[in-house]
């Protein structure tokens, strides 16, 4: 059994540290993103932002501090978030009249402002997104996946009616699915959350859920239809064409830096980090080998390839440091760089270079005149290969044959005995919270979502055996 499978958390932390993505800080649960870690976020940010703007959204910025009274206005919201809120209680040496929370999300502040910004049907829809940091004081933290402070985007929109707001909720969920699958090469299941897993204050919550290599799930993005709950709490009304005062329907949707953790957990291997080419900070690295210092033609050729790759928009590095080639190979592999090109005296004589993809065992030789094309092509095929590999892994660990709690417990006992991962199970659910709770208590499996397109439909509840209202993914989750 490999180290990765045996102790996945240790493998995860080692991988992050060897790749130099982050560092711990003296503030518990708050990490520093180092440049290679932060750049992963920059690529996610850029692609999401492009898609948001393409669909008519604009960015704005709201304060990080939120008055306590704002939270009191929406009952479910305060109940959901209050245990995790850090508070500012004094400033300039004086106790504040009202405590201010470090935002866990901005529905309340934005609701307060929208009540002023929205007057008539002409002001709608309001399509705003914010890129920001948020705080949720977590007891158990894990870099990128669950931290007390994290980076995210939160979209907040207001609409004339339910139909328009629901359309928006689905549109954003689809964008998340497309970006996570296309950019991060992570296959996801889209679907609806059960009421107990809903966002605090939402009417309906939808999510995309991804399977990590230890079989656990990560909720990779959520989109909420909030109905008129926040509109009523913050008095966000508009004048209709018929001159009637009506509440707006709002939505909110978010993805965060936990996507970085998901990339690491989905694609990494025994050696460590494997990055999908589209988000890799360095997509290709060029390394001179053999007695290259005595042979200036090697660096001349590599400089030429470097310039050509750069001109094609490929993020390329040339490693001419005085470390040994073996050391460099290892270092760049740990950083998950998708493609490596080696050039030595003999290669030059044969008019070729060696190319190695991070996720493949063998090097291939490439004629020097077509190195640029070969790298471009390899970056494309590796992106697809990683997605297909993750999809195959998910298929192999998605179980659709488990229909009772006893069968699930037996499945868990068997996985433990065989040292395999339990994965996810697709099972029926009657809709009763108590059944969901019992499954969780006995197996630590929680409902992930009710998928829009389940591989099969279930007829009986996994817990009580009564008629199933929904077919649900159950899994252990981060
Ligand atoms: Zn039941």
């Amino acid at each position: 059994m490999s180290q990765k499978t045996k102790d996945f958390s240790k493998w995860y932390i080692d991988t992050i540290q060897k790749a130099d993505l982050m560092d711990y800080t003296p503030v518990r649960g708050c990490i520093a993103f180092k440049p290679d870690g932060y750049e992963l976020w920059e690529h996610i940010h850029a692609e999401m932002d492009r898609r948001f703007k393409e669909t008519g959204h604009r960015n704005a910025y709201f304060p990080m501090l939120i008055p306590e009274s704002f939270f009191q206005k929406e009952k479910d919201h305060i109940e959901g978030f209050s245990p995790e809120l850090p508070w500012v209680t004094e400033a300039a040496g004086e106790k504040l009249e009202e405590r201010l929370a470090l935002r866990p999300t901005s529905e309340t502040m934005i609701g307060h402002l929208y009540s002023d910004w929205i007057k008539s049907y002409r002001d709608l829809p309001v399509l705003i997104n914010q890129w920001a940091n948020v705080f949720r004081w977590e007891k158990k933290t894990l870099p990128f996946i669950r931290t007390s402070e994290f980076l995210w985007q939160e979209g907040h929109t207001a609409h004339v009616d339910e139909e328009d707001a629901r359309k928006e909720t689905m549109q954003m969920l689809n964008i998340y699915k497309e970006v996570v699958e296309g950019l991060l090469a992570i296959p996801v299941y889209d679907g609806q959350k059960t009421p107990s897993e809903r966002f605090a204050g939402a009417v309906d919550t939808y999510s995309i859920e991804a399977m990590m290599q230890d079989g656990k799930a990560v909720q990779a993005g959520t989109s909420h239809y909030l109905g008129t709950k926040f509109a009523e709490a913050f008095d966000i009304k508009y004048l209709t064409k018929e001159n009637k005062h009506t509440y707006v329907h709002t939505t909110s949707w978010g993805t965060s830096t936990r996507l970085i953790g998901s990339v690491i957990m989905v694609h990494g291997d025994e050696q460590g980090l494997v990055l999908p080419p589209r988000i890799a900070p360095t997509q290709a690295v060029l390394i001179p080998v053999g007695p290259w210092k005595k042979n200036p033609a090697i660096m001349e050729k590599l400089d030429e390839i470097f310039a050509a790759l750069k001109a094609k928009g490929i993020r390329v590095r040339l490693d001419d440091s005085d470390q040994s080639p073996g050391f460099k190979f290892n270092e760049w592999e740990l950083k998950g760089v998708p493609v490596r090109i080696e050039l030595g005296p003999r290669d030059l004589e044969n008019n070729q270079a060696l190319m190695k993809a991070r996720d493949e065992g063998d090097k291939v030789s490439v004629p020097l005149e077509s190195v640029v094309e070969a790298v471009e092509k390899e970056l494309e095929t590796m992106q697809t290969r990683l997605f297909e590999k993750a999809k195959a892994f998910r298929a192999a660990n998605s179980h659709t044959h488990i229909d009772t709690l006893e069968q699930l417990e037996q499945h868990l006992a068997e996985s433990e005995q065989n040292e395999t991962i339990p994965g996810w199970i697709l099972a029926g659910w009657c809709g009763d919270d108590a059944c969901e709770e019992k499954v969780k208590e006995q197996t630590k499996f929680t409902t992930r979502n009710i998928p829009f397109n389940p591989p099969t439909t279930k007829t009986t509840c996994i817990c009580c055996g009564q008629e199933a209202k929904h077919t649900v993914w159950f899994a252990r989750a981060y």
Side-chain angles (χ1 to χ4, degrees):
M1 210 185 187
S2 65
Q3 192 230 318
K4 188 177 98 205
T5 343
K6 214 158 50 193
D7 191 346
F8 194 73
S9 350
K10 183 178 183 308
W11 169 87
Y12 177 70
I13 298 292
D14 285 353
T15 294
I16 287 174
Q17 288 184 326
K18 285 181 190 153
D20 204 26
L21 299 181
M22 54 72 67
D23 204 355
Y24 295 101
T25 71
V27 185
R28 206 189 62 87
C30 295
I31 61 166
F33 289 66
K34 293 184 83 171
D36 277 338
Y38 191 72
E39 190 170 333
L40 295 173
W41 181 237
E42 288 181 306
H43 293 304
I44 295 169
H45 182 302
E47 181 59 13
M48 292 272 186
D49 206 59
R50 189 181 71 76
R51 299 295 305 268
F52 297 163
K53 285 176 178 156
E54 209 175 66
T55 43
H57 302 84
R58 297 190 69 197
N59 291 325
Y61 187 78
F62 301 90
M64 189 169 74
L65 298 172
I66 300 182
E68 183 169 21
S69 55
F70 280 24
F71 287 95
Q72 309 296 351
K73 293 190 178 180
E74 214 297 319
K75 180 178 65 61
D76 294 336
H77 196 65
I78 181 73
E79 270 174 26
F81 282 106
S82 63
E84 304 171 347
L85 296 178
W87 294 98
V88 174
T89 56
E90 64 175 76
E94 276 175 42
K95 203 164 176 293
L96 297 176
E97 269 175 42
E98 182 179 6
R99 294 200 293 173
L100 301 169
L102 297 183
R103 66 179 159 218
T105 177
S106 303
E107 277 77 7
T108 55
M109 176 59 80
I110 290 176
H112 169 80
L113 292 163
Y114 279 9
S115 72
D116 206 32
W117 297 358
I118 298 166
K119 297 289 177 219
S120 115
Y121 69 90
R122 292 184 198 89
D123 301 325
L124 295 169
V126 173
L127 306 173
I128 285 180
N129 175 66
Q130 162 169 252
W131 290 96
N133 59 340
V134 281
F135 295 82
R136 294 179 190 176
W137 225 246
E138 302 283 357
K139 287 215 173 73
K140 221 177 134 195
T141 62
L142 187 62
F144 300 122
I145 292 287
R146 194 171 286 276
T147 48
S148 299
E149 179 191 14
F150 55 92
L151 303 178
W152 81 342
Q153 59 69 214
E154 48 179 321
H156 296 272
T157 67
H159 305 260
V160 285
D161 59 17
E162 173 167 356
E163 192 194 343
D164 203 44
R166 284 197 178 272
K167 217 158 77 188
E168 167 79 6
T169 311
M170 285 306 146
Q171 170 181 256
M172 302 325 285
L173 190 75
N174 278 332
I175 288 180
Y176 288 162
K177 184 173 174 15
E178 284 169 17
V179 174
V180 171
E181 294 196 331
L183 186 75
L184 310 183
I186 299 176
V188 292
Y189 284 116
D190 48 355
Q192 186 172 8
K193 285 285 192 185
T194 63
S196 76
E197 296 272 332
R198 233 179 241 157
F199 174 75
V203 173
D204 283 315
T205 289
Y206 301 88
S207 73
I208 50 170
E209 304 277 336
M211 186 190 287
M212 306 297 108
Q213 285 184 76
D214 60 352
K216 281 190 174 177
V218 164
Q219 177 177 287
T222 48
S223 187
H224 319 287
Y225 169 60
L226 304 172
T228 56
K229 285 191 175 191
F230 284 88
E232 286 171 46
F234 289 92
D235 199 33
I236 319 173
K237 279 186 192 151
Y238 73 99
L239 208 54
T240 66
K241 282 181 188 165
E242 294 74 34
N243 258 333
K244 243 180 72 190
H245 281 283
T246 310
Y247 286 119
V248 297
H249 289 247
T250 62
T251 81
S252 66
W253 26 275
T255 53
S256 75
T257 37
R258 75 186 331 213
L259 287 174
I260 297 173
S262 308
V263 168
I264 301 161
M265 287 187 172
V266 166
H267 300 299
D269 66 12
E270 278 321 302
Q271 279 76 53
L273 192 62
V274 175
L275 290 175
R278 286 186 196 150
I279 53 155
T282 303
Q283 295 172 308
V285 61
L286 312 178
I287 300 177
V289 298
W292 57 278
K293 283 189 185 157
K294 289 186 212 143
N295 193 339
I298 291 177
M299 278 308 288
E300 275 167 31
K301 193 71 209 172
L302 284 178
D303 281 333
E304 198 183 295
I305 296 171
F306 177 86
L309 286 170
K310 223 177 155 186
K312 290 273 185 186
I314 291 167
R315 297 186 287 274
V316 56
R317 297 275 289 267
L318 174 55
D319 188 350
D320 59 355
S321 73
D322 59 2
Q323 298 283 6
S324 73
F327 179 92
K328 293 179 191 174
F329 295 171
N330 185 51
E331 181 144 286
W332 292 104
E333 294 227 325
L334 294 177
K335 285 187 173 293
V337 174
V339 175
R340 176 173 91 218
I341 295 289
E342 304 167 18
L343 187 69
R346 202 169 301 158
D347 302 315
L348 200 58
E349 252 168 52
N350 297 330
N351 194 44
Q352 63 165 36
L354 290 179
M355 179 171 80
K356 186 179 174 308
R358 172 64 183 81
D359 63 324
E360 301 240 278
D362 296 328
K363 299 176 187 180
V364 293
S365 61
V366 181
L368 280 181
E369 61 274 16
S370 52
V371 166
V372 174
E373 290 72 24
V375 170
E376 266 190 311
K377 196 168 160 237
E378 188 55 38
L379 292 175
E380 277 303 306
T381 49
M382 181 177 170
Q383 182 80 28
T384 313
R385 200 160 61 227
L386 290 182
F387 182 66
E388 292 305 327
K389 200 176 156 199
K391 232 174 149 176
F393 177 87
R394 186 181 69 169
N397 293 288
S398 296
H399 306 288
T400 56
H401 64 284
I402 292 163
D403 289 314
T404 65
L405 203 45
E406 292 67 41
Q407 285 171 0
L408 175 56
E409 281 173 332
Q410 196 186 338
H411 168 73
L412 292 175
E414 279 167 14
S415 344
E416 196 163 325
Q417 206 171 13
N418 305 332
E419 298 187 318
T420 54
I421 58 167
W424 295 16
I425 64 151
L426 187 75
W429 175 53
C430 64
D432 189 343
D433 289 350
C435 283
E436 194 181 3
E437 188 55 35
K438 194 172 165 195
V439 174
K440 183 178 175 179
E441 258 173 36
Q442 295 196 5
T443 65
K444 297 201 187 88
F445 269 55
T446 53
T447 55
R448 299 328 305 151
N449 66 23
I450 302 164
F452 297 139
N453 300 300
T456 175
T457 307
K458 298 290 186 165
T459 52
T460 55
C461 175
I462 185 171
C463 186
C464 66
Q466 302 288 309
E467 195 188 331
K469 276 204 189 110
H470 305 286
T471 299
V472 184
W473 282 116
F474 285 86
R476 289 178 180 154
Y478 280 103

